[in-house]
């Protein structure tokens, strides 16, 4: 009788194990179907030339500035203006009645002032209900005088506040010496700062005035008349106060500047930005710099039909995303970045049927490599050969280390002789751009004069381009894959930098993606490529943190609130497919593919996949500048879930076998 009971128990256990194996097989099979559908969806969006380029959306500041620009130049497209206004109205927050920097974000005074002004220029009545709500919210937060520097500069050019309400940025700055010990020169700030500042110096020095054909103003947004405002500057530190005293004193001497010196300075600034005008891709290939260049050309006397004016206008128009009823303007475009990530996601499948699409994308990328050393980065590394890629279609003066590492990583994985020299030049350039602290920045080396963030112009705190964990991780991952002895010391220094940058909770800060989940994924992936043991305490702490912030539905999510409130790292009101994907990739890099956390993440992605094979866009997923400007990459929910599921399938299917 006892033997019979044991036989029955063995039979039940065997059936249970068989059922479990069948369930696992079915789960893994379901992932394969999801991967195939996602690949098809992604390939359907590949351009005939081989690249991918998804929309890149920002907050309402950019479309508002586009309307302001049209009125500044008296170059009105009324149909476009109304579509931009529809977009701006639709994004007014129903809780605080202003405009946030990202979905669900806090009230932002500068963005709200520009949005209000843009809508008024577009014809919205100040008595309209949405305008009343916006105006009351702006006044409750101190009024337009509390806007940031760039907003106040726009208001000064529209004669809404006096020029004393903005920082002193005369064109004579262009004549300052480049000596290493001299406190300021445009070469000492980030690429985005210098491309924005130089044409702005021209506008400031000429005291440019918007044409403003309808004479529309926003005096109702000031708590006191602008001329009676005593202080437009919020003091941030003692050093900031010192710089403000210096700036206010220097301003007193502006009337004494001789005309020949002012003209020479303006000419120097003009020559600087004309050299970098970048055709129809625009100055710096970023909207704020492009607008300033477009407006500066008009004030420098270039006629409307001059090739430069025609080119800068087309460059701005190419950033527009125009729909049937509404429109918005992108801050820039991201084809190189999108193409590199799409290629990496497809490579992860290991499926030979995607080889031709991958090859086509990498061939397109190969043709975009910048092999000369005439970019601004060479001011710090004059003897280094070029080898990087830009973020945009063209941006020859400003290759991006993050893009370069991602592109070259994909080429390394392809193991194709056609890319050997391309990879070698990329590795040489990246290694040569390492900063003294061992890390890597996005565009420059050793751009770390932090005192410059205290000058009055830099109230956004983003004047510089210092090394960051996420970019450093990508560079370490690529150089580790190259595996040449000459990079061993660079990799060791970068690894030491990343150890120091790890947060107390085990995460890493994400400068170019939201936020600690992004930074942690970036570093864990690099540590895997660098051969760091999964038993390393650094890896273990990061893996534990990712598991701790997993949400109840199996996904992960993080709000941009974590840039303002670090204690909310890894937290969000909902899960997102983007954060779920990169958290899974981080866990798998840490050797946790078979963990319950990774499985629950995969289940979340399966349940949220659309019939089309892709996933819903899930909000703003990156900062342009933390606390100041945020972005929504429309491609992140297309290739990151595919990348994560493809890797998960590859690792789990091996276990099933």
């Amino acid at each position: 009788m006892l033997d019979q009971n044991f036989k029955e128990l063995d039979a039940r256990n065997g059936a249970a194990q068989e059922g479990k194996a069948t369930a696992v097989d079915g789960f893994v099979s379901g992932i394969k179907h999801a991967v195939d559908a996602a690949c098809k969806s992604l390939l359907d969006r590949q351009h005939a030339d081989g690249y991918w380029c998804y929309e890149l959306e920002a907050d309402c500041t950019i479309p508002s500035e586009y309307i302001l620009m049209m009125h500044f130049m008296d170059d009105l497209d009324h149909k476009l203006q109304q579509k931009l206004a529809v977009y701006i109205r639709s994004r007014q927050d129903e809780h605080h009645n202003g405009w946030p920097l990202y979905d669900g974000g806090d009230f932002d005074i500068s963005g709200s002032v520009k949005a209000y002004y843009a809508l008024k220029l577009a014809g919205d009545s100040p008595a309209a209900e949405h305008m009343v709500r916006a105006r009351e919210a702006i006044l409750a937060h101190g009024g337009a005088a509390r806007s940031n520097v760039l907003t106040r500069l726009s208001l000064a050019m529209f004669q809404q506040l006096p020029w004393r309400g903005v920082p002193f940025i005369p064109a004579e700055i262009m004549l300052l010496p480049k000596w290493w010990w001299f406190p300021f020169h445009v070469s000492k700030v980030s690429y985005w700062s210098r491309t924005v500042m130089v044409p702005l110096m021209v506008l400031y020095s000429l005291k440019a005035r918007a044409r403003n054909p309808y004479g529309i103003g926003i005096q109702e947004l000031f708590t006191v008349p602008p001329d009676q405002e005593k202080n437009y500057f919020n003091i941030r530190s003692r050093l900031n106060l010192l710089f403000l005293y210096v700036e206010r004193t220097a301003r007193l001497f502006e009337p004494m500047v001789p005309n020949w010196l002012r003209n020479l300075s303006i000419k120097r600034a003009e020559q600087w930005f004309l050299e970098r005008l970048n055709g129809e891709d625009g100055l710096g290939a970023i909207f704020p710099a492009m607008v300033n260049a477009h407006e500066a050309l008009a004030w420098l006397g270039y006629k409307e039909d001059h090739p430069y004016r025609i080119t800068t206008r087309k460059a701005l128009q190419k950033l527009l995303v125009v729909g049937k009823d509404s429109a918005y303007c992108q801050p820039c475009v991201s084809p190189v970045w999108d193409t590199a990530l799409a290629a990496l996601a497809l490579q992860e499948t290991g499926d030979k049927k995607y080889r031709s699409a991958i090859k086509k994308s990498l061939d397109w990328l190969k043709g975009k490599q910048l092999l000369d050393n005439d970019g601004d980065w060479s001011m710090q590394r004059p003897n280094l050969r070029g080898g990087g890629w830009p973020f945009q279609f063209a941006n020859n003066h400003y290759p991006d280390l993050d893009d370069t590492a991602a592109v070259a990583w994909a080429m390394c994985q392809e193991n194709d002789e056609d890319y050997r020299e391309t990879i070698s030049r990329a590795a040489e350039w990246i290694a040569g751009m390492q900063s003294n602290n061992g890390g890597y920045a996005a565009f420059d080396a050793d751009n770390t004069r932090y005192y410059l963030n205290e000058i009055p112009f830099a109230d956004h705190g983003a004047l510089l381009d210092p090394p960051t964990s996420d970019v450093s991780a990508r560079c370490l991952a690529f150089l580790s894959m190259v595996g040449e002895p000459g990079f061993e010391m660079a990799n060791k220094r970068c690894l030491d930098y990343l150890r120091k940058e790890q947060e107390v909770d085990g995460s890493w800060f994400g400068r170019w993606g939201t936020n600690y989940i992004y930074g942690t994924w970036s570093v864990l992936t690099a540590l895997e490529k660098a051969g760091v043991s999964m038993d390393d305490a650094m890896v273990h702490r990061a893996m534990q943190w990712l598991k701790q912030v997993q949400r109840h539905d199996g996904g992960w999510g993080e709000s941009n609130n974590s840039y303002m409130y670090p204690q909310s790292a890894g937290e969000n009101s909902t899960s997102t497919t983007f954060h779920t994907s990169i958290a899974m990739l981080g866990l798998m890099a840490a050797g946790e593919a078979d963990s319950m956390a990774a499985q629950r993440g995969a289940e979340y992605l399966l349940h949220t996949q659309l019939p089309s094979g892709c996933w819903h866009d899930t909000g703003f997923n990156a900062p342009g500048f933390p606390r100041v400007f945020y972005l929504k990459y429309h491609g992140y929910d297309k290739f990151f879930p595919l990348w994560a599921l493809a890797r998960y399938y590859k690792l789990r299917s091996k276990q099933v076998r």
Side-chain angles (χ1 to χ4, degrees):
M1 184 67 179
L2 190 60
D3 289 342
Q4 181 63 29
N5 288 340
F6 277 124
K7 288 178 182 179
E8 291 176 359
L9 181 60
D10 288 341
R12 287 197 298 272
N13 287 340
Q17 291 298 322
E18 183 178 347
K20 184 177 181 180
T22 301
V24 171
D25 286 339
F27 176 57
V28 173
S29 176
I31 292 175
K32 180 64 168 65
H33 289 305
V35 168
D36 289 342
C39 285
K40 182 181 183 305
S41 176
L42 187 63
L43 291 173
D44 286 344
R45 292 292 302 271
Q46 187 175 22
H47 191 273
D49 290 342
Y51 66 84
W52 283 268
C53 186
Y54 291 92
E55 293 174 23
L56 182 58
E57 191 174 357
D59 66 280
C60 284
T61 301
I62 301 294
S64 298
E65 287 176 350
Y66 202 99
I67 292 177
L68 287 164
M69 180 268 295
M70 289 195 290
H71 286 261
F72 183 97
M73 302 292 287
D74 191 10
D75 182 16
L76 301 180
D77 180 337
H78 292 281
K79 187 174 181 180
L80 172 62
Q81 178 174 260
Q82 289 310 310
K83 288 188 176 185
L84 291 168
V86 168
Y87 177 90
I88 295 168
R89 287 188 211 103
S90 70
R91 279 154 179 77
Q92 185 175 14
D93 189 275
E94 62 181 14
H95 299 293
H96 54 61
N97 296 320
W99 283 264
L101 295 176
Y102 50 88
D103 296 338
D106 295 338
F107 173 90
D108 181 71
I109 183 70
S110 302
S112 297
V113 168
K114 282 189 174 178
Y116 180 96
Y117 201 177
L119 291 178
K120 191 173 181 183
L121 289 168
D124 286 18
S125 168
E129 188 265 343
H130 66 285
M131 297 289 277
V132 172
R133 290 191 291 112
R135 182 168 61 252
E136 291 175 350
I138 291 168
L139 292 173
H141 285 81
R146 301 280 75 81
S147 300
N148 63 23
V149 162
L150 292 176
T151 300
R152 296 203 309 275
L153 279 161
S154 293
L155 295 180
M157 287 186 277
F158 272 83
Q159 301 176 74
Q160 298 305 295
L161 57 77
W163 284 100
R164 66 175 175 80
V166 300
F168 184 53
I169 49 171
E172 284 73 27
I173 291 173
M174 297 300 298
L175 303 179
L176 297 176
K178 296 181 182 179
W179 302 325
W180 67 268
W181 55 266
F182 198 78
F184 186 82
H185 187 270
V186 292
S187 64
K188 291 179 168 61
V189 299
S190 64
Y191 119 70
W192 56 82
S193 297
R194 68 183 80 114
T195 54
V196 168
M197 288 177 67
V198 174
L200 198 54
M201 292 174 193
V202 174
L203 293 167
Y204 177 91
S205 297
L206 296 174
K207 297 298 184 285
R209 294 173 58 178
R211 292 184 179 178
N212 195 6
Y214 301 116
I216 295 172
I218 51 166
Q219 295 297 294
E220 68 270 21
L221 294 189
F222 291 85
T223 56
V224 298
D227 285 336
Q228 296 179 23
E229 178 71 39
K230 294 182 179 180
N231 182 25
Y232 287 94
F233 296 89
N234 295 318
I235 306 304
R236 306 188 298 275
S237 68
R238 291 182 179 179
L239 183 57
N240 175 243
L241 179 60
L242 174 62
F243 280 137
L244 184 60
Y245 278 130
V246 172
E247 185 261 359
R248 297 284 99 172
T249 302
R251 179 189 296 272
L252 298 176
F253 293 94
E254 186 177 19
M256 304 176 192
V257 175
N259 288 337
W260 69 265
L261 185 60
R262 173 55 53 96
N263 292 336
L264 174 64
S265 305
I266 291 174
K267 193 65 179 177
R268 187 72 59 85
E270 177 187 355
Q271 291 170 343
W272 188 95
F273 78 76
L274 286 181
E275 178 187 340
R276 294 160 176 78
L277 211 52
N278 196 33
E280 291 186 11
D281 292 284
L283 176 62
I286 52 175
F287 177 85
M290 293 157 65
V291 166
N292 290 345
H294 186 55
E295 295 175 351
L297 285 172
W299 270 83
L300 286 168
Y302 288 87
K303 301 298 183 183
E304 190 174 349
D305 60 353
H306 191 282
Y308 287 157
R309 288 278 302 274
I310 293 172
T311 298
T312 54
R313 190 173 188 268
K314 286 183 178 179
L316 290 163
Q317 291 172 338
K318 287 171 67 174
L319 294 177
L320 291 167
V321 177
V322 182
K324 180 181 178 182
D325 300 313
S326 70
Y328 73 91
C329 182
Q330 302 173 100
C332 61
V333 291
S334 55
V336 172
W337 184 240
D338 289 348
T339 303
L341 294 177
L344 287 166
L346 288 171
Q347 284 177 333
E348 198 65 52
T349 68
D351 198 322
K352 293 182 179 179
K353 65 185 177 184
Y354 304 129
R355 288 291 301 277
S356 62
I358 295 169
K359 172 72 172 169
K360 192 173 186 179
S361 71
L362 297 183
D363 286 346
W364 181 83
L365 287 167
K366 181 180 178 180
K368 296 294 181 181
Q369 189 175 29
L370 304 174
L371 298 174
D372 296 325
N373 65 342
D374 57 356
D376 284 5
W377 56 267
S378 64
M379 290 185 287
Q380 293 295 324
R381 298 292 187 268
N383 299 318
L384 180 63
R385 296 196 300 172
W389 277 268
F391 180 74
Q392 304 89 349
F393 284 108
N395 197 5
N396 292 359
H397 279 80
Y398 305 109
D400 184 327
L401 276 87
D402 211 2
D403 285 78
T404 300
V407 170
W409 173 356
M411 289 182 173
C412 275
Q413 290 191 157
E414 199 61 17
N415 195 24
D416 190 320
E417 188 67 24
D418 289 349
Y419 308 126
R420 175 179 291 186
E421 178 60 22
T422 305
I423 293 168
S424 177
R425 288 292 295 271
E428 177 186 341
W429 185 69
I430 285 178
M433 290 294 289
Q434 189 170 33
S435 291
N436 287 330
N437 66 0
Y440 294 89
F443 300 95
D444 287 299
D446 297 316
N447 195 251
T448 52
R449 293 173 174 84
Y450 292 104
Y451 64 86
L452 291 177
N453 276 330
E454 299 300 324
I455 67 174
F457 179 82
D459 63 349
H460 48 60
L463 201 69
L464 304 174
D465 179 21
T468 62
S469 296
D470 45 354
V471 178
S472 300
R474 218 98 56 224
C475 293
L476 173 62
F478 163 57
L479 292 179
S480 298
M481 293 174 70
V482 174
E484 294 183 7
F487 301 134
E488 288 179 356
M489 183 53 68
N491 289 348
K492 181 183 182 304
R493 292 177 60 225
C494 187
L495 190 58
D496 290 342
Y497 166 81
L498 291 173
R499 284 189 184 277
K500 294 175 184 176
E501 287 293 303
Q502 189 173 26
E503 303 289 334
V504 174
D505 61 14
S507 65
W508 279 272
F509 180 81
R511 165 62 181 85
W512 296 100
T514 307
N515 174 354
Y516 293 93
I517 295 177
Y518 181 89
T520 304
W521 156 67
S522 300
V523 177
L524 284 175
T525 302
L527 298 182
E528 179 189 31
K529 299 291 184 186
V532 175
S533 171
M534 297 299 102
D535 294 327
D536 190 294
M538 174 171 53
V539 176
H540 182 74
R541 290 170 57 213
M543 177 268 293
Q544 287 297 110
W545 179 80
L546 282 175
K547 289 184 176 181
Q548 289 170 8
V549 296
Q550 187 172 23
R551 292 174 51 77
H552 63 86
D553 59 3
W556 280 264
E558 184 169 4
S559 168
N560 286 306
N561 290 342
S562 62
Y563 288 103
M564 185 68 73
Y565 312 107
Q567 65 272 20
S568 66
E571 296 179 3
N572 196 24
S573 59
T574 61
S575 296
T576 74
T577 54
F578 164 62
H579 286 109
T580 301
S581 303
I582 60 175
M584 283 181 61
L585 287 167
L587 286 175
M588 288 185 281
E592 291 288 315
D594 61 347
S595 66
M596 182 56 66
Q599 179 178 321
R600 293 179 63 219
E603 290 171 348
Y604 175 85
L605 292 180
L606 288 179
H607 293 154
T608 53
Q609 189 176 27
L610 301 172
S612 63
C614 60
W615 285 260
H616 276 302
D617 291 328
T618 46
F620 283 62
N621 44 37
F625 312 120
R627 304 187 180 197
V628 179
F629 180 65
Y630 295 90
L631 301 167
K632 178 179 180 179
Y633 286 85
H634 285 238
Y636 277 13
D637 294 306
K638 314 300 186 297
F639 33 72
F640 275 114
L642 166 59
W643 191 351
L645 287 177
R647 180 152 208 223
Y648 187 75
Y649 173 77
K650 183 165 60 178
L651 296 175
R652 288 303 303 272
S653 60
K654 290 178 181 178
Q655 295 171 352
V656 171
R657 294 192 194 102

